C-alpha cells in the first residue's frame, strides 16, 4: 500500500480518539465539491447534469474552510466538476494545507500542466488524476479523444515539479481484468505515488446506465485483477479485500460526507435525498440506518470507496491485531 506514513498515523490516531470519545458516527474524508462545472461530459458522470444556474456557482474559499472546520475530517478530497476551473482553487488548496489537512485535488488533468505554477509541493497535497484505463479505453469513457495523452504528460510534469500524484480509476463494465492489470503496470511506471480504484456507481442522472458493474461481477473482476500481483495502492488492505469479496462490510455513508454549492448532501456523495444547511444537521437528522446494502434498493450493487473505505479503515483500527496485520501487508 502507498498511503503515506504521516497520513496513516494521523487517520489512525483520529479514529482511536473518536472511539475513546464513544462516537459511533464520524467523518474520515470530506468530499468537497467547490463547483459542478466541468470541461468534459463523461457518460458515467451525473454531476454535470445540473441546471446551468447551478453549474455557474462556485464555493468561496471561506465556505470551503468553514466546511472543513465543522466536519473535522483529517482528509479533504476536492472533486467536482473539474476543480481546476475554479478561479480560486489554489487559494482553497493552500488554505486547507495550511490547516494541516491531507488534500487530494481530483482532476481530469486537461488544465493541470498549465496550473502547476499556482500550487506548491507539500506532503499534505496530492494531485489525483482521473484515468479510466489506457488510451483507447480512457478516451472512450470520457467521450473525448486525446485526453489520455494530455493527462499522462501532465502527470510527468507534476512529478518533475516535485508534486505527489496518484491516479484515480473508475471501473465500468466492458473492460477486462487483464486490461486493468496492464494499466496499473503503466501508471506505476510513471512514478506515481499510488493508485486509487473503485467500481462505478449508477448515478440516477448519468447519461449511460448500461455499463455499471453488479456486485457479484465486481467481486469476480477484482479477484482476477489482484490475484498474485501487488501494486502501490492508495487504499487500505481491507478495502481491497472487500472488493474481492474476502470481507463483508456495511456502508458507512457518514464516513465521507459531501459538501457542495447545494449544501451537505444526504446521505452521501452518490445519492441525493436532499441537503442539510450545516454539518451538524446532516449528522444528527439523517436516518443513517435506512441506507446501505439490504436496506435501500439503490445501494444493492454499490461497492464504491467513498462508502466502504471508511468501513475498512474503522475495521483496521478496531483492534491491535488487525492494525499489525494491515501494517505488515502494507510494507511487504
Amino acid at each position: 500500500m502507498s498511503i503515506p506514513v504521516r497520513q496513516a498515523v494521523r487517520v489512525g490516531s483520529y479514529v482511536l480518539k473518536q472511539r475513546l470519545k464513544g462516537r459511533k458516527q464520524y467523518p474520515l474524508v470530506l468530499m468537497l465539491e467547490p463547483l459542478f462545472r466541468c470541461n468534459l461530459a463523461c457518460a458515467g458522470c451525473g454531476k454535470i447534469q445540473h441546471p446551468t444556474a447551478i453549474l455557474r456557482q462556485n464555493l468561496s474559499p471561506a465556505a470551503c474552510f468553514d466546511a472543513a472546520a465543522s466536519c473535522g475530517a483529517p482528509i479533504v478530497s476536492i472533486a467536482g466538476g473539474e476543480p481546476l476551473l475554479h478561479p480560486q482553487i489554489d487559494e482553497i488548496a493552500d488554505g486547507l494545507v495550511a490547516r494541516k489537512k491531507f488534500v487530494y485535488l481530483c482532476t481530469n488533468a486537461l488544465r493541470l500542466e498549465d496550473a502547476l505554477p499556482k500550487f506548491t509541493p507539500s506532503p499534505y497535497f496530492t494531485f489525483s488524476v482521473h484515468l479510466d484505463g489506457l488510451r483507447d479505453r480512457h478516451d472512450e469513457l470520457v467521450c473525448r479523444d486525446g485526453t489520455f495523452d494530455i493527462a499522462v504528460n501532465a502527470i510527468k510534469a507534476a512529478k518533475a515539479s516535485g508534486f505527489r500524484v496518484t491516479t484515480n480509476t473508475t471501473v465500468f463494465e466492458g473492460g477486462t481484468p487483464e486490461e486493468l492489470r496492464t494499466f496499473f503496470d503503466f501508471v506505476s511506471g510513471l512514478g506515481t505515488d499510488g493508485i486509487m480504484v473503485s467500481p462505478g456507481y449508477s448515478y440516477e442522472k448519468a447519461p449511460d446506465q448500461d455499463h455499471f458493474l453488479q456486485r457479484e461481477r465486481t467481486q469476480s473482476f477484482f479477484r482476477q485483477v489482484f490475484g498474485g500481483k501487488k501494486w502501490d495502492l492508495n487504499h487500505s488492505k481491507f478495502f481491497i479485500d472487500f472488493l474481492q469479496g474476502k470481507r463483508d462490510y456495511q456502508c458507512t455513508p457518514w464516513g465521507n460526507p459531501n459538501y457542495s454549492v447545494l449544501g451537505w448532501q444526504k446521505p452521501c456523495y452518490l445519492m441525493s435525498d436532499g441537503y442539510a444547511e450545516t454539518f451538524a444537521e446532516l449528522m444528527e437528522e439523517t436516518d443513517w440506518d435506512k441506507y446501505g446494502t439490504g436496506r435501500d434498493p439503490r445501494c444493492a450493487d454499490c461497492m464504491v470507496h467513498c462508502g466502504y473505505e471508511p468501513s475498512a479503515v474503522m475495521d483496521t483500527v478496531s483492534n491491535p491485531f488487525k492494525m499489525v496485520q494491515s501494517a505488515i501487508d502494507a510494507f511487504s
Side-chain angles (χ1 to χ4, degrees), residues 118-140:
K118 296 181 178 180
F119 299 91
T120 302
S122 165
Y124 287 92
F125 181 75
T126 303
F127 287 114
S128 178
V129 177
H130 186 98
L131 283 176
D132 281 340
L134 293 172
R135 182 181 290 106
D136 291 345
R137 177 69 172 166
H138 175 75
D139 288 357
E140 173 190 4

Side-chain angles (χ1 to χ4, degrees), residues 150-224:
I150 294 172
V152 169
N153 288 335
I155 290 172
K156 293 177 180 178
K159 288 301 302 176
S161 298
F163 289 95
R164 280 182 44 81
V165 181
T166 59
T167 57
N168 185 12
T169 301
T170 306
V171 177
F172 296 97
E173 190 64 80
T176 69
E178 292 75 19
E179 289 172 343
L180 191 60
R181 288 165 67 94
T182 301
F183 168 74
F184 285 170
D185 288 339
F186 174 80
V187 294
S188 297
L190 296 176
T192 54
D193 298 284
I195 298 168
M196 300 180 70
V197 62
S198 183
Y201 174 82
S202 53
Y203 288 99
E204 292 178 348
K205 292 185 178 182
D208 181 359
Q209 290 288 325
D210 298 327
H211 290 87
F212 292 97
L213 294 170
Q214 306 300 304
R215 181 170 285 249
E216 290 185 2
R217 166 66 173 149
T218 297
Q219 293 170 342
S220 173
F221 185 94
F222 282 108
R223 281 195 296 270
Q224 295 176 69

Side-chain angles (χ1 to χ4, degrees), residues 4 19 27 31 49 90 136 160 192 198 210 230 258 272 281 318 325:
R19 292 172 66 86
M31 307 288 285
Q49 306 303 318
D90 51 334
D136 291 345
T192 54
S198 183
D210 298 327
K230 290 186 177 182
N258 171 247
S272 181
E281 178 188 337
S318 64
Q325 178 187 352

Side-chain angles (χ1 to χ4, degrees), residues 250-251 288-297 299-300 308:
Q250 185 54 266
C251 173
W288 301 110
D289 290 338
K290 74 178 185 179
Y291 297 105
T293 304
R295 301 171 179 174
D296 188 315
C299 305
Y308 289 95

Side-chain angles (χ1 to χ4, degrees), residues 62-328:
C64 294
F65 303 150
D66 287 345
S70 63
C71 172
I75 301 172
V76 178
S77 176
I78 305 177
E82 169 51 51
L84 293 181
L85 294 179
H86 194 296
Q88 296 170 287
I89 190 58
D90 51 334
E91 183 179 342
I92 293 171
D94 288 347
L96 292 170
V97 167
R99 290 162 172 79
K100 299 301 182 191
K101 302 294 184 181
F102 291 95
V103 177
Y104 287 79
L105 193 155
C106 305
T107 175
N108 59 36
L110 293 183
R111 289 194 170 196
L112 177 55
E113 193 164 358
D114 290 339
L116 289 177
K118 296 181 178 180
F119 299 91
T120 302
S122 165
Y124 287 92
F125 181 75
T126 303
F127 287 114
S128 178
V129 177
H130 186 98
L131 283 176
D132 281 340
L134 293 172
R135 182 181 290 106
D136 291 345
R137 177 69 172 166
H138 175 75
D139 288 357
E140 173 190 4
L141 289 171
V142 302
C143 305
R144 184 186 298 181
D145 291 341
T147 57
F148 178 84
D149 290 334
I150 294 172
V152 169
N153 288 335
I155 290 172
K156 293 177 180 178
K159 288 301 302 176
S161 298
F163 289 95
R164 280 182 44 81
V165 181
T166 59
T167 57
N168 185 12
T169 301
T170 306
V171 177
F172 296 97
E173 190 64 80
T176 69
E178 292 75 19
E179 289 172 343
L180 191 60
R181 288 165 67 94
T182 301
F183 168 74
F184 285 170
D185 288 339
F186 174 80
V187 294
S188 297
L190 296 176
T192 54
D193 298 284
I195 298 168
M196 300 180 70
V197 62
S198 183
Y201 174 82
S202 53
Y203 288 99
E204 292 178 348
K205 292 185 178 182
D208 181 359
Q209 290 288 325
D210 298 327
H211 290 87
F212 292 97
L213 294 170
Q214 306 300 304
R215 181 170 285 249
E216 290 185 2
R217 166 66 173 149
T218 297
Q219 293 170 342
S220 173
F221 185 94
F222 282 108
R223 281 195 296 270
Q224 295 176 69
V225 170
F226 294 118
K229 190 164 186 178
K230 290 186 177 182
W231 295 272
D232 286 334
L233 302 172
N234 203 46
H235 292 290
S236 67
K237 168 66 166 56
F238 288 1
F239 175 70
I240 300 303
D241 287 348
F242 166 74
L243 288 182
Q244 300 173 77
K246 296 178 180 179
R247 295 178 185 273
D248 186 26
Y249 292 125
Q250 185 54 266
C251 173
T252 51
W254 37 265
N256 281 14
N258 171 247
Y259 182 70
S260 72
V261 296
L262 298 176
W264 294 94
Q265 185 168 323
K266 299 180 180 181
C268 68
Y269 177 70
L270 298 165
M271 290 166 51
S272 181
D273 285 354
Y275 294 85
E277 291 188 10
T278 66
F279 177 71
E281 178 188 337
L282 173 74
M283 297 298 288
E284 295 168 8
E285 299 186 12
T286 303
D287 184 1
W288 301 110
D289 290 338
K290 74 178 185 179
Y291 297 105
T293 304
R295 301 171 179 174
D296 188 315
R298 296 172 296 176
C299 305
D301 292 312
C302 181
M303 297 181 72
V304 180
H305 66 92
C306 65
Y308 289 95
E309 183 85 71
S311 307
V313 171
M314 292 169 193
D315 184 29
T316 302
V317 186
S318 64
N319 66 59
F321 174 77
K322 289 182 177 180
M323 292 182 68
V324 171
Q325 178 187 352
S326 181
I328 291 173

